């Protein structure tokens, strides 16, 4: 059962999509994902509007929504999950690295990995302190040794 927020985002992305853009994006972005053909601006707008419609969402509900969006192998849904997490960075916790690792491993496209790392993982790493920072750095070092992170 899809949550109301995920259903809203999905409906909006489908409505904003075009077959021409979907075909062009599929040719440009490898990874076996499906495409609705919605623009990046439409993705950002859908997430913004969903957050306005559902301001009551807690940290756990927002991160669960990101996973829910990500569960479907649709590029725009996954990009919406990234945008959602970008806005959530101030409340993310070291425990969220487990979810972030799942997203990174299943991304299917470097165009999803890059903003997830640059705009979610790195700012979260910079914000953590003490034992949380040490734990997070060990996790990220492991990811780097496995080639999961883009070269920077």
């Amino acid at each position: 059962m899809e949550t109301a927020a995920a259903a809203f985002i999905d409906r909006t992305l489908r409505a904003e999509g075009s077959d021409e853009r979907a075909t062009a994006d599929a040719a440009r972005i490898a990874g076996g994902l499906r495409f609705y053909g919605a623009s990046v601006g439409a993705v950002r707008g859908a997430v913004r509007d969903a957050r306005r419609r559902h301001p009551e969402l807690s940290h756990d509900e927002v991160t669960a929504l990101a996973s829910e969006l990500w569960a479907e192998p649709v590029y725009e849904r996954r990009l919406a999950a990234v945008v959602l997490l970008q806005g959530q960075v101030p409340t993310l916790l070291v425990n969220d690295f487990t979810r972030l690792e799942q997203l990174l491993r299943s991304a299917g496209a470097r165009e999803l990995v890059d903003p997830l790392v640059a705009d979610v993982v790195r700012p979260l790493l910079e914000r953590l302190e003490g034992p949380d920072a040490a734990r997070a750095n060990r996790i990220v070092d492991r990811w780097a040794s496995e080639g999961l992170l883009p070269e920077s």
Side-chain angles (χ1 to χ4, degrees):
M1 180 80 179
E2 196 168 52
T3 62
F8 171 80
I9 291 170
D10 189 76
R11 272 192 321 275
T12 303
L13 295 175
R14 286 175 187 267
E16 292 289 331
S18 76
D19 291 339
E20 295 80 21
R21 185 186 299 270
T23 300
D25 287 348
R28 181 177 55 84
I29 300 171
L33 298 171
R34 294 190 322 264
F35 294 84
Y36 291 160
S39 69
V40 173
V43 172
R44 290 188 182 288
V47 170
R48 181 194 62 235
D49 293 347
R51 289 296 287 159
R52 285 183 182 151
R53 285 174 174 246
H54 302 280
E56 75 287 354
L57 294 178
S58 68
H59 162 271
D60 291 349
E61 291 167 326
V62 170
T63 56
L65 174 58
S67 290
E68 183 179 2
L69 291 167
W70 199 274
E72 295 293 326
V74 176
Y75 177 78
E76 291 86 352
R77 283 179 62 108
R78 290 185 173 186
L79 185 58
V82 172
V83 171
L84 188 64
L85 291 171
Q86 287 169 338
Q88 194 70 19
V89 168
T91 67
L92 293 178
L93 308 168
V94 69
N95 293 341
D96 292 316
F97 273 93
T98 302
R99 186 179 312 264
L100 294 172
E101 181 172 3
Q102 292 168 343
L103 301 182
L104 287 167
R105 289 191 183 281
S106 64
R110 188 52 95 193
E111 290 81 358
L112 295 168
V113 170
D114 290 346
L116 193 56
V117 169
D119 301 332
V120 179
V121 172
R122 287 197 180 119
L124 176 55
L125 263 179
E126 292 169 3
R127 192 175 56 71
L128 295 174
E129 297 177 350
D132 286 347
R135 179 176 169 214
N137 280 305
R138 285 193 304 273
I139 292 168
V140 171
D141 288 346
R142 178 175 50 82
W143 295 350
S145 72
E146 295 173 2
L148 189 57
L149 300 178
E151 299 294 322
S152 53

